Each structure stands twice: as C-alpha cells, then as structure tokens.
Amino acid sequence: MFGAVAVMLAGEMIVAANKDGSLLVRVRAEEDEELMGRPGTSRLVMGERSMSAGWIRVAPEALVDEDALDFWIARALARRA
C-alpha cells in the first residue's frame, strides 16, 4: 500500500518505515500543527494527493538516534490512548 513496512496495533497502522529511511507516523489531528513544526517533518503525499492532518512523514535526518525514534513512536501510540 505505502511501499513500506507498517507496524499495526489493534488493526490500525501506527507507523511505517520506508525504504528511504523515513518514517510515516499517524498522530492526533489536534497535535498535527505543532508536530509539523519539528525539524524533518512534512505532509505525507501520495501521488498528487496530500494526506490530511494526522499523517506526518519524518525524514531520515530527523531520526538520527533512538531518542528521536522513541519520540515519534510515543506520539503515534498516544493517538490510540
């Protein structure tokens, strides 16, 4: 579907790791604007279509250490809480 390896929780995708090293993260829509202000983030685009709030692409450069990855996984898990 996305050309990535998705991690699912209770039947919903929370993150997906792309071949280029980027991470697709599903977050709460109300957190989207704040999180989009973080370095290395962009709106997920599929073809010519830009996805709605709550779908964020995190560039590989923004995932340089385990703390950065932990931050984004925590944001994805918080969406389900």
Side-chain angles (χ1 to χ4, degrees), residues 56-72:
I56 296 177
R57 179 187 175 275
V58 183
E61 306 80 50
L63 299 168
V64 295
D65 59 29
E66 202 166 313
D67 289 340
L69 181 59
D70 287 348
F71 172 84
W72 287 107

Side-chain angles (χ1 to χ4, degrees), residues 2 13-16 18 22-26 44 55-57:
F2 295 107
M13 187 194 80
I14 57 168
V15 296
N18 294 301
S22 66
L23 190 69
L24 170 60
V25 184
R26 290 199 65 190
L44 174 65
W55 293 88
I56 296 177
R57 179 187 175 275

Side-chain angles (χ1 to χ4, degrees), residues 30-73:
E30 57 270 15
E31 293 182 316
D32 184 85
E33 187 176 339
E34 174 190 345
L35 293 173
M36 283 292 292
R38 293 183 63 91
T41 60
S42 61
R43 181 65 56 220
L44 174 65
V45 177
M46 294 181 64
E48 295 181 15
R49 182 175 170 223
S50 179
M51 299 298 285
S52 61
W55 293 88
I56 296 177
R57 179 187 175 275
V58 183
E61 306 80 50
L63 299 168
V64 295
D65 59 29
E66 202 166 313
D67 289 340
L69 181 59
D70 287 348
F71 172 84
W72 287 107
I73 291 174

